[in-house]
Structures are given as C-alpha cells and as structure tokens.
Amino acid sequence: MDINFNKNEDANKLLVSDLKTRFAKVRKGGGDKRIEKQHQQGKLTARERIDFLLDQGSKQIEIGAFAGDEMYKEHGGCPSGGVVVVIGYIKGRQCVVVANDATVKAGAWFPITGKKNLRAQEIAMENRLPIIYLVDSAGVYLPMQDEIFPDKEHFGRIFRNNARMSSMGITQIAAVMGSCVAGGAYLPIMSDEALIVDKTGSIFLAGSYLVKAAIGEVIDNETLGGATTHCEISGVTDYKSKDDKDALDTIRNIIDKIGMSEDAGFNRIKPTKPLKEVQDVYGILPKNRTEQYDMKEIIERLVDNSEYEEYKAEYGQTIITAYARIDGWAVGIVANQRKVVKTKKGEMQFGGVIYSDSADKATRFIANCNQKKIPLLFLQDVTGFMVGSKSEHGGIIKDGAKMVNAVSNSVVPKFTVIIGNSYGAGNYAMCGKAYDPRLIIAWPSAQLAVMGGAQAAKVLLQIETASLKKKGIEISKEKEEELFNSIKTKYDDQVSPYYAAARLWTDAVIDPVETRKWVSMGIEAANHAPITERYNPGVIQT
C-alpha cells in the first residue's frame, strides 16, 4: 500500500460516509412527527411494511432512494419521491414492491412520483417479476397536476401498464392500506387481486366532501368506500384484512402459491468471492478524477475468483472486453480503461477515451455476447470519443455509430455501473439510461454530464466573455476568474451523482462494495424473462 492508495481510500470512504448520511435522511420520509402520526393511526410506515413483507434476512435492493432529492423545495420537498420501491424476496420469489409513503404529503403524487412508479413497472415488465403495490396515497398533488396528469409518461400510463402486465401474465397484487382516491382507485382494481385493511383503507372515485358538493348526498368515507363496503357490497376488493400485518401475511401466502415459469437460461455456477479484497477499490480509484488507474484492478475485485478471460487484449486497449462471472452468473464486461496505453504502432492513447479500434472491438464483443446469450455489464469511466483530424479522417463517427448500434439492438440484458466520468457520447455508447439497461447504478465518485465541469466552464466562460465584449465591456483577469468559478460551481452541482439520482437518470447511488449484489440480483431478475428476439445490429455504412 502506498501513500496514494491511502489518500484515495480516505477520499472514497468519505464519499461513502456522505452517501450513508444522505440515505439515513431520506429513510425518514416526512420526518419523525409524521412517522409517529402514522403509528398512532395503527399503520406501519412504507418501509416498515416492506420489511415485514420481505423474507427476513434476505437480500434486497432499493430503486430510486434519492428520487426527488433537493427538488420541489418550494412545495416542502419530496423525499424518495414519496414512494419506496424495492426488489426483494417473498417466500423465496423475487418481486418488485411499491409502497406509497404517506408521511410525505399524505403519499400524494408529484411528477417524480409518477416517474418512479413507471420505472418500477418497467422493471417488473422487462423481467416478468410479480409486483406488489402497497397503496396509501391522497392522489395527484394538485398544485403540480399539469406536470403529472395528461402526458404519455404521466399518471395515466400507470393504469395502461396495469393492463399490459395483466395481458403478459405478470402477477399484480395491491393492498389498500390507507387512502386510495380518484384516478388512483383504478390501480388496485386493475391488479389481479386486491386487499383492503379494515377501518384504515378506503377506495372511492370521490370522497364524502366532493360527493356532497357534486350530488348533495351526505355520507361518511367508511360507508362510502371502506373495507366492509368493498368486500361485502361492491365486490371491488377480494380480501378484508384486520390490520397492516394481516394484509402483508395474506400477500405472502398468495405469492407462495404462484407457479414457476420458463426462465431465460443464463449460465450460472456455484458462486465464489473475489480472491482480491473488494474494499481495495476505495484505494484504487483515484481521489482526483483526472488521474490514471488500471480498470483491470477494479474488475479483479468485482468478479468471482478475481478471474476473467480478456477478449482482444492487445487491440483497442482503451476499452476492456472480457468474460467473467459475478456471483456465479456469466457476464460479458465492457469497461473503459483509464490509464494511458501504447499501441503496437507505438502511438499513445489517452485513458477513458473511446478510439476507433476500441469502439470496433466493443462492437464485436457485444455481438458475441448476444450470440452466446451472456448478459452485458458496462463499467463506465469515459470522457467521450477521441476528437481531432486524425480521428475524424479515420472514421471515428462511423465506428462510434457501430458501437451505439450494437448497444441499442442488443437483446441480452444490459447492466451499467458508472464508476467515474460519464460524459457526452461516451455515456451513450457505454449504455447510459437512454439505452435500456435493466439496472443503472452509480458510485459516489460518478459524474454525469455532456462534459467535465472544468471543460464546460471554460466553454461557457468564452461565450460569456465574448458576449460582454460585444457590449463593449472589458473584464479583468480577476473578474474572469470569478466568473469561471461561479459557472463551474453551478455546473458541478449538476454533474453530481445525486443530481442524476434525484431525476432517476440512475436507479441508485451505491457503496462500491455493494456492486456484486446489485449485478447478481439484476441478472437473476432478468433470468425470469426468456429472450424472444434475435440480435440484429441493423445497417451501418461501412
């Protein structure tokens, strides 16, 4: 261990400590007072419901924990988007669980709430996983209704997906554990089976106040749409539960009896841990994101037995392509190499940059993995494609397009881990969110942007100073430096992994040592969905 390793380790462990502090904050939802109020009503919180529902001591991963982070401040904030989404195990079966957090604005739907619910349904549909909705919501957050109600990817898409999953044979179970009003009332009824908790759960298109205003009828909410009404009179719900735990036990019993379906047949053997210590990644990943490091050192701490078979090792060296196993699952790894490499022609290539030869290699490897039915794992630390006359004359655009085409048309499941930089077209070629990774996660060291903060600030500064000069305003070196720092600070806020996670550009920010669990559970989920398409890379001009 050298001094640089220790400095890197300290810096990365501080980032992980910050991650844990942030996560502890969002876990509180609307805060201790609202949690206590929930308990006084005889209800568990969203996270308590999920913990009770899932198999005790089993693995789980949370999707979108930082959704809404630092957003909607003028409306009081929306921690975790007001809904908790977890992939976990119920009676040994992998499921998606979606639980409204009633401590956050009574579980009302903000725009990010809708986006997060759609992401949960997308995961269930892609992987054919049972999905359980634990409903406790006041419906659409009216002050922002125009941003969640009418568009294609808004609230109505939830019910469209309910219908699509029903036709696909994907199990949907809903438990009404609190309010379920207006349009939201369709969600549990469009599920396969619906439960309602006596005295705390209610379902109606319009509550008692609105009913009186609309038609003059005087009625209380319990008689209008409580458990007795819907289980004994309307037949809208299928099970009446005495309390939250009774409802959750019923769900567990239903899940326990679902038959097994055909799987995708991805290769798995008995898992082994990496021979090299996983926590070494803290010391390997540089504190300064412009410094070099060997991505192979990271890979050796993620894969079983620290072993991998590298494909075209001496060609296109700024991308590493390799076959390996993670928790027993076969994977094809496509990773950016962050150290400067030397080609056989004696030319130097910058680390983290995609050159024509590395794009060509990655394209071929992606095709091989599709042919062999091997899931793909992308490890991103990329600054983009190589620029300049030599690259342009060599056809970098064409080679980059081939790689993007291969990623776009890949039929095996893809998983993306953003380790460091994720800039520009490099984000696209390395399977960014737009390219349908089954899961996309970031380490606390990640940055997502069109370009790095310093480069972007320089470009924006040039534009700003040129604009001022046109107006006849000359600026001093001191003023120029002040402008640069101001621009860079604002830009750096936007490249933060938490900024991306808040907007669901990534599914999570995770401790690097959790990477193996996320990838393994992701491939296990994907294995529930047989591949029905053949890989066709499309046509790219040669």
Side-chain angles (χ1 to χ4, degrees), residues 7-19:
K7 286 180 178 179
N8 294 339
E9 185 177 45
D10 289 345
N12 285 307
K13 283 187 174 180
L14 279 173
L15 290 177
V16 171
S17 177
D18 179 51
L19 165 65

Side-chain angles (χ1 to χ4, degrees), residues 208-281:
S208 57
Y209 292 121
L210 187 54
V211 166
K212 183 178 180 181
I215 64 173
E217 182 182 3
V218 177
I219 190 170
D220 64 89
N221 283 337
E222 183 64 25
T223 306
L224 181 66
T228 299
T229 295
H230 287 309
C231 287
E232 299 180 21
I233 301 173
S234 73
V236 163
T237 51
D238 308 307
Y239 306 88
K240 185 200 286 188
S241 304
K242 64 182 181 181
D243 56 26
D244 281 8
K245 290 183 178 180
D246 184 36
L248 298 168
D249 279 332
T250 301
I251 294 171
R252 287 179 56 80
N253 291 334
I254 295 169
I255 293 290
D256 191 37
K257 297 170 182 66
I258 299 174
M260 298 303 293
S261 56
E262 180 187 358
D263 64 32
F266 299 130
N267 187 296
R268 192 183 197 189
I269 63 173
K270 184 179 179 181
T272 58
K273 292 181 179 180
L275 289 179
K276 296 188 177 180
E277 180 56 54
V278 177
Q279 293 206 353
D280 285 350
V281 296

Side-chain angles (χ1 to χ4, degrees), residues 104-341:
V104 180
K105 289 286 193 295
W109 288 57
F110 283 68
I112 197 67
T113 317
K115 187 173 182 179
K116 185 170 174 179
N117 274 268
L118 289 171
R119 177 60 179 145
Q121 290 184 318
E122 180 182 43
I123 290 169
M125 292 168 79
E126 284 184 330
N127 300 292
R128 294 185 172 268
L129 295 179
I131 183 167
I132 292 92
Y133 308 99
L134 306 180
V135 184
D136 192 350
S137 171
V140 167
Y141 183 61
L142 290 177
M144 302 188 75
Q145 64 86 27
D146 62 319
E147 296 182 46
I148 190 172
F149 171 63
D151 209 348
K152 181 179 178 179
E153 298 294 333
H154 282 180
F155 194 68
R157 190 78 171 182
I158 303 289
F159 314 131
R160 176 266 187 192
N161 287 349
N162 287 142
R164 291 290 301 130
M165 281 190 276
S166 181
S167 72
M168 294 167 69
I170 297 170
T171 297
Q172 300 176 83
I173 301 170
V176 180
M177 312 179 86
S179 297
C180 183
V181 299
Y186 288 103
L187 185 146
I189 314 313
M190 293 187 75
S191 299
D192 302 316
E193 295 183 84
L195 305 83
I196 185 167
V197 178
D198 196 21
K199 301 297 186 292
T200 56
S202 58
I203 309 173
F204 32 65
L205 295 180
S208 57
Y209 292 121
L210 187 54
V211 166
K212 183 178 180 181
I215 64 173
E217 182 182 3
V218 177
I219 190 170
D220 64 89
N221 283 337
E222 183 64 25
T223 306
L224 181 66
T228 299
T229 295
H230 287 309
C231 287
E232 299 180 21
I233 301 173
S234 73
V236 163
T237 51
D238 308 307
Y239 306 88
K240 185 200 286 188
S241 304
K242 64 182 181 181
D243 56 26
D244 281 8
K245 290 183 178 180
D246 184 36
L248 298 168
D249 279 332
T250 301
I251 294 171
R252 287 179 56 80
N253 291 334
I254 295 169
I255 293 290
D256 191 37
K257 297 170 182 66
I258 299 174
M260 298 303 293
S261 56
E262 180 187 358
D263 64 32
F266 299 130
N267 187 296
R268 192 183 197 189
I269 63 173
K270 184 179 179 181
T272 58
K273 292 181 179 180
L275 289 179
K276 296 188 177 180
E277 180 56 54
V278 177
Q279 293 206 353
D280 285 350
V281 296
Y282 299 137
I284 294 166
L285 193 65
K287 174 183 174 182
N288 185 337
R289 64 193 322 102
T290 61
E291 288 181 19
Q292 298 178 49
Y293 68 95
D294 191 348
M295 180 64 83
K296 293 178 183 179
E297 293 285 337
I298 300 286
I299 293 171
E300 287 170 358
R301 284 151 179 87
L302 297 179
V303 301
D304 290 13
N305 213 37
S306 298
E307 293 178 341
Y308 59 90
E309 293 78 44
E310 191 171 358
Y311 171 80
K312 288 186 177 290
E314 303 303 320
Y315 176 71
Q317 294 179 64
T318 63
I319 285 183
I320 299 164
T321 48
Y323 300 107
R325 290 189 183 274
I326 290 183
D327 199 34
W329 294 104
V331 294
I333 295 173
V334 181
N336 302 112
Q337 175 59 287
R338 275 310 308 266
K339 67 176 187 177
V340 174
V341 298

